[in-house]
Amino acid sequence: MSALDSLSLTAIPPEDEALRGEVREFLARAMQGVPAHVRAKSWSGYDSAFSRELGRKGWLGLTLPKEYGGGGRSPYARYVMVEEFLNFGAPVGSHWIADRQSAPLILKYGSEAQKRFYIPPICRGESFFCIGMSEPNAGSDLASVKARAIPDANGWILNGQKIWTTNAHNCHYMIALVRTSGTAEDRQKGLSQLIVDLKLPGVTVRPIRDLSGESHFCEVFFDNVRLPADALIGAEGKGWEQVTAELAFERSGPERLYSSIVLFDEWLAFVRTPQGRTREALELAGRIVAQLAPLRAMSIAVTGKLAKGESPIVEAALVKDLGTGVEQLIPAAIADDLYSRQPQDIPMELLHTLDYVTQVAPSFSLRGGTRDILRGMIARGLGLR
Ligand SMILES: Cc1cc2nc3c(=O)[nH]c(=O)nc-3n(C[C@H](O)[C@H](O)[C@H](O)COP(=O)(O)OP(=O)(O)OC[C@H]3O[C@@H](n4cnc5c(N)ncnc54)[C@H](O)[C@@H]3O)c2cc1C
């Protein structure tokens, strides 16, 4: 039994819900014996062989057209699958970004040749992408990116730096937001998106160690990197519009509410034992589920908008802001609960899991856009800015 089982407030179409049993069965076998503190990494966990196995099962690129190797299914089907991956803490980090946003971006803005070249290997779990947006002085203020690509006879020459690039050291390609014309004062104008092959001469990838001691994101330097003309994705100078659409894909999934779900389940398992069951713990469990359940309904409603072909930018920002709040509440509240108990009663694996999630929790409301930025978007959606 998992916390997920008690959260069903909104219907998912039965043909998509039907996928859940098969995915659960597979994951129950694949994840058997993997300790909770490892499963808690989930979409930060990297396992390229696991991604290839999902590709063989036809579970990557689920919403992409079959002609490019995708599954041709609805966003609801992908929601069910992703929800199960997160719930089991499957190591999905290697294909995560390519599946979630790079392939849909290429599908939306790429040329036919780009679609045929890049999307099928993504669906096979063989080609991994990273997001080249942030720079040392351009995070929230993304329009001030300084990496610059200058056109030349053979394509582009790229110089500059990206930072906090998740998994760049394990990826084949980056989709980078860069300036291709104008100056920094032009802001959103003159930006473009380029697909950068990270093996090219002039690309240096340097992993950064985070608070938990792991190196999952990187600095990436471009020193006169020569890119072919068809590295440009979409139209030159339209990078801002494209990146905005990409961020809606990035923010709209259930990963923005379930980052602490493995910890929550591990703690619930303890609360179900005689030593773990206290009145305060039962109240806390109810409080957390009462927040997760409506959030899940909202998150599914965002998927409904994707299914209608809409780009739910403000709605995704709202769910992400509220969702990361609950993701951060869970480790803090569980730590308070465990602090009031006898140390010898607390299972060691629960403590290991709490330790890991507590260390990474501050990043939940930074990655994918900070809370302040999301609230600015919500205010704009309300016509207040
Ligand atoms: C785990 C993790 C993974 C990441 N992966 C990637 C990745 O793969 N690719 C990528 O490109 N980036 C990635 N990032 C970077 C992330 O997108 C940025 O950290 C984020 O956008 C914030 O930018 P910044 O770090 O430059 O902080 P800043 O923009 O300098 O913000 C600092 C603080 O000021 C606040 N602030 C800034 N502007 C305003 C404003 N206008 N109004 C009110 N408050 C404001 C912010 O909310 C924040 O609290 C990742 C970050 C993390 C933590």
Side-chain angles (χ1 to χ4, degrees):
M1 184 183 177
S2 86
L4 197 65
D5 294 320
S6 53
L7 300 182
S8 188
L9 289 183
T10 305
I12 290 178
E15 66 276 18
D16 299 317
E17 188 60 49
L19 199 56
R20 194 180 299 278
E22 193 189 342
V23 179
R24 271 196 185 182
E25 208 177 292
F26 165 76
L27 289 173
R29 252 182 293 117
M31 301 305 294
Q32 199 173 22
V34 181
H37 77 276
V38 175
R39 290 188 290 109
K41 294 179 188 173
S42 191
W43 60 293
S44 297
Y46 184 92
D47 183 341
S48 55
F50 186 77
S51 294
R52 278 197 299 277
E53 192 172 354
L54 296 183
R56 278 195 293 277
K57 294 182 83 60
W59 286 354
L60 300 185
L62 207 59
T63 60
L64 302 172
K66 287 190 173 167
E67 60 178 308
Y68 303 120
R73 306 265 325 236
S74 87
Y76 286 113
R78 182 171 185 276
Y79 191 95
V80 167
M81 175 155 310
V82 165
E83 196 173 38
E84 291 300 325
F85 288 163
L86 299 170
N87 186 40
F88 274 86
V92 288
S94 43
H95 68 262
W96 198 249
I97 287 164
D99 179 78
R100 175 181 71 187
Q101 64 195 81
S102 314
L105 183 87
I106 294 168
L107 183 72
K108 190 162 179 175
Y109 296 107
S111 65
E112 189 54 33
Q114 285 172 327
K115 290 179 204 174
R116 296 208 175 276
F117 182 78
Y118 291 109
I119 298 180
I122 290 177
C123 297
R124 293 196 299 269
E126 293 169 0
S127 180
F128 307 139
F129 278 63
C130 56
I131 306 164
M133 295 187 198
S134 306
E135 296 183 3
N137 291 308
S140 302
D141 185 17
L142 192 56
S144 64
V145 293
K146 289 201 175 56
R148 177 178 278 273
I150 298 171
D152 83 338
N154 301 314
W156 306 92
I157 301 178
L158 174 62
N159 281 287
Q161 183 194 346
K162 295 289 170 184
I163 196 167
W164 315 126
T165 320
T166 297
N167 263 332
H169 53 323
N170 292 314
C171 283
H172 304 95
Y173 301 102
M174 168 192 283
I175 297 186
L177 180 71
V178 303
R179 182 157 289 289
T180 47
S181 68
T183 65
E185 283 72 49
D186 291 320
R187 308 278 300 157
Q188 287 89 348
K189 284 190 219 144
L191 299 177
S192 302
Q193 287 189 301
L194 297 175
I195 303 184
V196 182
D197 180 341
L198 295 172
K199 301 241 165 17
L200 285 174
V203 178
T204 305
V205 179
R206 204 186 284 162
I208 303 169
R209 185 172 290 205
D210 69 18
L211 189 66
S212 71
E214 300 197 333
S215 299
H216 104 280
F217 48 24
C218 307
E219 292 178 289
V220 183
F221 300 88
F222 307 117
D223 182 10
N224 284 321
V225 181
R226 291 181 176 276
L227 299 173
D230 64 4
L232 177 72
I233 177 149
E236 202 258 308
K238 293 283 180 208
W240 188 256
E241 278 167 52
Q242 295 178 198
V243 96
T244 305
E246 183 181 347
L247 282 167
F249 290 126
E250 179 170 346
R251 292 174 180 151
S252 57
E255 63 267 43
R256 306 302 180 177
L257 21 149
Y258 289 145
S259 300
S260 302
I261 196 80
V262 171
L263 169 64
F264 184 43
D265 269 330
E266 194 70 7
W267 175 77
L268 282 176
F270 170 57
V271 173
R272 286 188 197 103
T273 65
Q275 309 95 295
R277 192 183 168 93
T278 62
R279 187 187 159 81
E280 291 74 21
L282 295 181
E283 279 175 11
L284 175 59
R287 214 162 68 231
I288 293 173
V289 171
Q291 296 191 47
L292 274 176
L295 266 170
R296 178 174 187 255
M298 289 168 73
S299 172
I300 294 172
V302 169
T303 302
K305 288 204 158 246
L306 291 175
K308 282 194 231 151
E310 296 174 25
S311 193
I313 295 169
V314 177
E315 293 83 350
L318 188 67
V319 178
K320 180 178 182 293
D321 181 32
L322 292 170
T324 53
V326 178
E327 289 181 335
Q328 289 173 335
L329 164 80
I330 291 173
I334 289 178
D336 282 349
D337 173 65
L338 297 185
Y339 186 71
S340 66
R341 295 167 181 270
Q342 294 300 321
Q344 65 274 16
D345 288 345
I346 306 171
M348 200 45 98
E349 188 53 31
L350 174 56
L351 282 179
H352 279 322
T353 311
L354 175 63
D355 182 43
Y356 171 75
V357 177
T358 300
Q359 289 181 64
V360 295
S363 73
F364 298 164
S365 55
L366 297 175
R367 59 186 183 188
T370 70
R371 184 162 283 148
D372 305 295
I373 295 308
L374 299 173
R375 290 185 181 170
M377 293 169 66
I378 296 163
R380 202 170 300 123
L382 291 170
L384 298 174
R385 291 181 78 200

